[in-house]
C-alpha cells in the first residue's frame, strides 16, 4: 500500500483533529502518501482531495471541529454516488481509507468498501458515546466537561432564585451525556431515552423535595427522551406542579465544539494510530476502539449491530445521590 486517505463524516466531535493528525503522521511515518478528503463522503464523490504532509496537521491537536470539514451525504447512500466515489478514489491512486465518525460513517465505509473493494478502517468519533466496540468515543469526554461547566453555572443562578431548571443536552438516541453529565453535575433528576420517563413520578419526587425545603432543582433531559425535549417536559410538569419558578436551557451545539480534553486527545491519538497501522497490516472494515484501556478492533458490521446499554448502576447511583 502506497497511498491512503483520511476523511471525517457525520457530526463533528472534539478530538477529530487530533485523530486526523495521528492518521496523517502514522501514514507518513510508515512511508505512505496521505490524502485528506474534504467534506466527508460528499467530498469523496466530488474528488475534493488534499495532499497532507506533516506540516498540514501542525497546531491542530488542540482545535475542536475538523480541519477537513464534514457532511452527512445523501448522495453517498446511492449506488451512483458510490460508483463515482470509487472512480474518483481509484483515479487518485488511493488504496485504503481511514474514516472518522459515528454509526452513519461506519455504514458508509462498509457500503463503499463493498462497492470499491478498497479496505476501510474507522475510528469512533461522536459526542454521544453510543458506539459498540469502545468504552469511549472521541469527543464524549469533552462534551461531558462542557455540560458540567454549563450546569454548574446554571446552578448558581438556580440556587440564587430558588428555581427549577430543565436543561436539555444532546443525545437523540442515547442518554450517555445526560446520565454521566447529570451524575457529574449532581442533577436532581436525569431523563434519558433508555429509561421510561414517568411525569407523575417525576412530580411526586419534586413534591417530596419541595417538602424537604429543596430551594432549587436541576433536571437534565436528553433531547431524545420519549416524553419530549426539555421545553415539552417542563410544560407538562408545570401544569401540575408550579411551586418553583421554572426555566429551560438547551445547551445545544456548544456541546460539540471547543478544545478537546486531554483524555480525548490521547484517545484520538491512540485510535488514529491503531486504525492506520491496522490498514497497513491488511485489516479492513473494522473500527479501532478502546476496551478496558486496550486497543481492540471491531468489524463495522458488528459495531452497527449492537446497541450500547447505559450503565444500570449509574442510574441507581444517580437516584440514590440526588435525594
Ligand atoms: O452527533 C450526534 C449528535 O450530537 C446528536 O446527539 C444530535 O442530535 C445531533 O448530533 C445533532 O446534529 P445536527 O448537527 O445535525 O443538528
Amino acid at each position: 500500500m502506497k497511498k491512503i486517505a483520511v476523511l471525517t463524516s457525520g457530526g463533528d466531535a472534539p478530538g477529530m483533529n487530533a485523530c486526523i493528525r495521528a492518521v496523517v503522521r502514522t501514514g507518513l511515518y510508515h512511508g505512505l502518501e496521505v490524502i485528506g478528503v474534504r467534506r466527508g463522503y460528499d467530498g469523496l464523490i466530488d474528488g475534493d482531495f488534499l495532499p497532507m504532509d506533516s506540516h498540514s496537521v501542525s497546531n491542530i491537536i488542540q482545535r475542536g471541529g475538523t480541519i477537513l470539514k464534514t457532511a452527512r451525504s445523501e448522495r453517498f447512500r446511492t449506488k451512483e454516488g458510490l460508483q463515482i466515489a470509487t472512480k474518483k478514489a481509484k483515479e487518485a491512486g488511493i488504496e485504503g481509507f481511514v474514516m472518522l465518525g459515528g454509526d452513519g460513517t461506519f455504514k458508509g465505509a462498509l457500503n463503499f468498501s463493498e462497492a470499491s473493494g478498497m479496505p476501510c478502517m474507522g475510528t469512533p468519533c461522536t459526542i454521544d458515546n453510543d458506539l459498540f466496540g469502545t468504552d469511549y468515543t472521541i469527543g464524549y469526554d469533552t462534551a461531558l466537561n462542557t455540560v458540567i461547566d454549563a450546569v454548574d453555572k446554571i446552578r448558581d443562578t438556580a440556587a440564587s432564585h430558588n428555581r427549577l431548571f430543565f436543561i436539555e443536552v444532546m443525545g437523540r438516541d442515547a442518554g450517555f451525556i445526560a446520565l454521566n453529565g447529570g451524575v457529574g453535575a449532581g442533577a436532581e433528576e436525569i431523563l434519558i431515552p433508555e429509561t421510561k420517563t414517568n411525569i407523575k413520578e417525576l412530580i411526586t419526587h419534586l413534591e417530596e423535595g419541595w417538602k424537604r425545603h429543596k430551594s432549587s432543582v436541576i433536571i437534565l433531559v436528553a433531547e431524545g427522551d420519549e416524553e419530549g425535549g426539555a421545553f415539552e417536559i417542563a410544560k407538562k410538569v408545570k401544569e401540575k406542579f408550579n411551586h418553583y419558578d421554572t426555566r429551560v436551557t438547551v445547551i445545544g451545539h456548544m456541546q460539540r465544539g471547543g478544545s478537546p480534553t486531554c483524555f480525548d486527545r490521547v484517545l484520538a491519538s491512540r485510535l488514529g494510530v491503531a486504525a492506520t497501522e491496522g490498514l497497513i497490516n491488511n485489516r479492513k472494515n473494522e473500527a479501532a476502539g478502546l476496551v478496558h484501556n486496550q486497543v481492540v478492533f471491531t468489524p463495522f458490521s458488528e459495531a452497527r449491530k449492537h446497541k450500547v446499554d447505559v450503565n444500570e448502576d449509574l442510574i441507581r447511583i444517580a437516584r440514590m445521590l440526588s435525594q
Side-chain angles (χ1 to χ4, degrees):
M1 194 174 280
K2 291 200 179 67
K3 199 189 265 192
I4 62 168
V6 56
L7 61 78
T8 52
S9 152
D12 61 301
M16 271 183 162
N17 280 327
C19 195
I20 294 169
R21 171 180 176 270
V23 172
V24 170
R25 293 205 169 151
T26 304
L28 297 174
Y29 176 87
H30 289 287
L32 302 179
E33 264 184 74
V34 185
I35 300 292
V37 180
R38 275 185 290 229
R39 296 181 293 108
Y41 294 135
D42 267 345
L44 184 51
I45 294 170
D46 296 335
D48 195 352
F49 301 147
L50 176 77
M52 309 288 281
D53 60 12
S54 188
H55 185 65
S56 67
V57 290
S58 294
N59 273 321
I60 65 165
I61 196 166
Q62 78 283 13
R63 283 170 55 189
T66 159
I67 59 160
L68 289 176
K69 300 194 182 288
T70 187
R72 293 194 173 101
S73 174
E74 284 303 324
R75 287 184 290 158
F76 206 66
R77 292 179 220 265
T78 66
K79 212 171 147 196
E80 202 201 349
L82 288 168
Q83 277 167 354
I84 301 170
T86 301
K87 189 166 167 277
K88 290 282 163 70
K90 290 199 167 151
E91 277 170 7
I94 297 166
E95 293 161 283
F97 280 84
V98 181
M99 326 289 216
L100 282 50
D103 182 60
T105 304
F106 292 171
K107 183 177 178 204
L110 206 51
N111 290 344
F112 177 69
S113 185
E114 272 162 20
S116 67
M118 283 192 209
C120 298
M121 293 295 285
T123 62
C125 298
T126 164
I127 63 164
D128 293 343
N129 204 40
D130 58 349
L131 290 176
F132 181 81
T134 190
D135 289 343
Y136 302 102
T137 56
I138 296 163
Y140 173 58
D141 185 64
T142 306
L144 278 182
N145 279 287
T146 301
V147 166
I148 62 165
D149 184 46
V151 177
D152 287 350
K153 286 173 176 153
I154 291 167
R155 188 182 283 287
D156 287 345
T157 175
S160 302
H161 285 269
N162 290 0
R163 278 178 176 164
L164 162 59
F165 262 90
F166 289 85
I167 305 174
E168 183 178 302
V169 297
M170 277 186 168
R172 202 168 19 206
D173 309 306
F176 293 97
I177 296 179
L179 181 57
N180 284 267
V183 171
E188 275 71 22
E189 298 283 341
I190 302 169
L191 311 180
I192 57 176
E194 291 85 349
T195 58
K196 177 129 190 50
T197 296
N198 184 326
I199 299 288
K200 226 172 130 194
E201 246 173 51
L202 175 62
I203 292 172
T204 307
H205 289 170
L206 289 171
E207 271 164 355
E208 285 166 5
W210 173 256
K211 282 182 197 144
R212 289 200 315 273
H213 307 291
K214 242 182 188 309
S215 60
S216 62
V217 180
I218 300 284
I219 301 182
L220 235 62
V221 184
E223 64 178 330
D225 189 86
E226 78 279 5
E227 283 290 342
F231 278 102
E232 223 173 308
I233 295 178
K235 190 166 164 267
K236 289 178 189 170
V237 170
K238 233 174 137 181
E239 279 163 11
K240 304 225 161 62
F241 173 88
N242 65 356
H243 289 311
Y244 298 99
D245 197 9
T246 302
R247 293 288 186 276
V248 177
T249 302
V250 178
I251 304 181
H253 287 79
M254 195 188 284
Q255 291 158 93
R256 286 236 296 258
S259 182
T261 57
C262 182
F263 181 89
D264 272 332
R265 297 181 199 192
V266 175
L267 179 68
S269 301
R270 290 180 76 182
L271 299 187
V273 169
T276 311
E277 289 189 332
L279 188 64
I280 294 167
N281 293 323
N282 297 320
R283 287 188 168 276
K284 62 185 272 196
N285 303 341
E286 293 175 337
L290 205 67
V291 175
H292 303 312
N293 204 23
Q294 298 295 318
V295 171
V296 297
F297 294 99
T298 305
F300 288 141
S301 52
E302 280 299 304
R304 299 210 59 243
K305 217 184 286 169
H306 301 279
K307 191 170 159 29
V308 193
D309 294 324
V310 288
N311 185 332
E312 290 288 331
D313 200 42
L314 206 51
I315 297 175
R316 184 183 73 88
I317 287 170
R319 288 195 182 127
M320 192 164 73
L321 300 185
S322 64
Q323 297 296 309

